[in-house]
């Protein structure tokens, strides 16, 4: 069974045509990988399908815009995978 | 259909909140300035307008499922196919089904039939955003009334 990071990095690589080796847990989706909001919708759709969850993108964006969170809290891939694991665990609880 | 005004749907035929599907009638007019250019002497419904018809049908589906609380805006298509020419005076039926209902986005699969035969299909992606202002929301509501959108079914959405 693939780890969360393996699944997410594969989705990003295929969706945005980014070589897999360039994607690390420390990569910032926007600043390092250059993923824009439109590509991120495709990624969110694929992640939602792969993990059976609903990434709360609107809530995250609002928190960042209001200064309650930093973009790296959600868009650095290691952190993103942690959030995905939390959502998957909450679904099964 | 009023092609020159980008009003692609004639009326909403059915909306099923449980199945997350919507069907619309789209009657291609006999005449339109669009046909004068596309093409002179050989009028065809442009493929981009078929995509628009599928997007608008999907849009009403998304609006129905969110009870007219947020507006879907077209951001992309995948697997788009135009399978046959469509001439003026053709009644079309447009079908849309929700396949991805996320936070701030939605994905549908849509297709168009003529006499039961598929003439176009696409997967369509939308950003779903709050209405820019109350007037816009009211305009959408009134547009839906003209299309005979079954607002009574929003209770079950």
């Amino acid at each position: 069974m693939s780890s969360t990071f393996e699944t997410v990095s594969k989705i990003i690589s295929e969706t945005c045509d980014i070589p897999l080796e360039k994607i690390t847990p420390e990569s910032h989706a926007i600043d390092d990988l250059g993923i824009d909001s439109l590509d991120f919708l495709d990624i969110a759709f694929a992640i939602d399908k792969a993990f059976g969850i609903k990434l709360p993108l609107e809530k995250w964006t609002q928190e960042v815009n209001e200064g309650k969170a930093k973009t790296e809290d959600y868009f650095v891939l290691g952190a993103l995978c942690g959030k995905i694991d939390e959502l998957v665990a909450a679904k099964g609880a | 259909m009023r092609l020159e005004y980008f009003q692609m749907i004639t009326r909403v035929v059915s909306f099923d909140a449980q199945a997350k599907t919507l069907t619309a009638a789209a009657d291609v007019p006999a005449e339109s300035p669009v046909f004068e250019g596309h093409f002179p002497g050989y009028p065809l419904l442009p493929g981009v307008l078929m995509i628009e018809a599928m997007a608008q049908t999907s849009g009403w589906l998304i609006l129905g499922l969110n009870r007219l609380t947020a507006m879907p805006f077209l951001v992309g298509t995948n697997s788009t196919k135009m399978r046959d020419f469509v001439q003026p005076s053709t009644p079309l039926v447009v079908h849309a089904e929700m396949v991805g209902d996320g936070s701030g986005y939605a994905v549908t699969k849509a297709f168009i039939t003529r006499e039961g035969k598929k003439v176009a299909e696409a997967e369509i992606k939308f950003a779903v955003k709050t209405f820019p202002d109350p007037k816009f929301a009211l305009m959408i509501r009134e547009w839906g009334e003209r299309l005979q959108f079954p607002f009574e079914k929003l209770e079950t959405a």
Side-chain angles (χ1 to χ4, degrees), chain B residues 37-105:
Chain B
H38 193 280
F39 296 95
Y42 192 66
L44 294 176
L45 181 66
V48 290
L49 294 186
M50 289 200 240
I51 294 171
E52 182 64 22
M54 292 188 282
Q56 290 187 13
T57 302
S58 299
W60 284 109
L61 169 63
I62 296 163
L63 283 162
L65 292 173
N66 72 28
R67 302 182 187 205
L68 274 74
T69 57
M71 181 69 190
F73 292 94
L74 174 65
V75 295
T77 67
N78 285 334
S79 308
T80 307
K81 290 179 183 167
M82 312 303 160
R83 294 185 175 277
D84 204 354
F85 291 155
V86 173
Q87 278 87 9
S89 303
T90 303
L92 300 173
V93 180
V94 194
H95 309 260
E97 177 186 4
M98 180 77 87
V99 295
D101 183 15
S103 171
Y105 78 88

Side-chain angles (χ1 to χ4, degrees), chain A residues 38 41-42 44-46 48-49 54-59, chain B residues 75 99-105 107 123 125-128:
Chain A
L38 186 53
L41 287 188
D42 285 337
F45 178 44
D48 285 359
K49 266 206 303 193
K54 191 167 175 173
L55 287 180
L57 293 182
E58 290 173 300
K59 177 170 167 271
Chain B
V75 295
V99 295
D101 183 15
S103 171
Y105 78 88
V107 182
E123 181 181 88
K125 291 174 285 183
F126 299 85
V128 183

Side-chain angles (χ1 to χ4, degrees), chain A residues 7 14 17 19 34-35 37 41-44 46 48 55 57 60 63 66 71 75-76 87:
Chain A
T7 304
E14 289 174 357
D17 201 19
I35 296 169
S37 58
L41 287 188
D42 285 337
I43 291 167
D48 285 359
L55 287 180
L57 293 182
W60 292 355
E63 287 176 4
E66 291 174 353
T71 59
F75 297 106
V76 167
L87 290 163

Side-chain angles (χ1 to χ4, degrees), chain B residues 98-152:
Chain B
M98 180 77 87
V99 295
D101 183 15
S103 171
Y105 78 88
V107 182
T108 67
K109 279 193 175 169
F111 61 94
I112 303 175
T113 57
R114 177 187 51 210
E115 295 179 345
K117 189 183 167 201
K118 200 180 277 186
V119 294
E121 64 191 87
E123 181 181 88
I124 308 180
K125 291 174 285 183
F126 299 85
V128 183
K129 298 176 179 291
T130 52
F131 285 106
D133 57 56
K135 271 172 117 177
F136 191 104
L138 181 62
M139 178 274 293
I140 290 294
R141 174 99 193 182
E142 289 173 349
W143 189 356
E145 286 169 359
R146 288 196 297 278
L147 297 181
Q148 302 168 36
F149 186 92
F151 286 103
E152 70 280 2

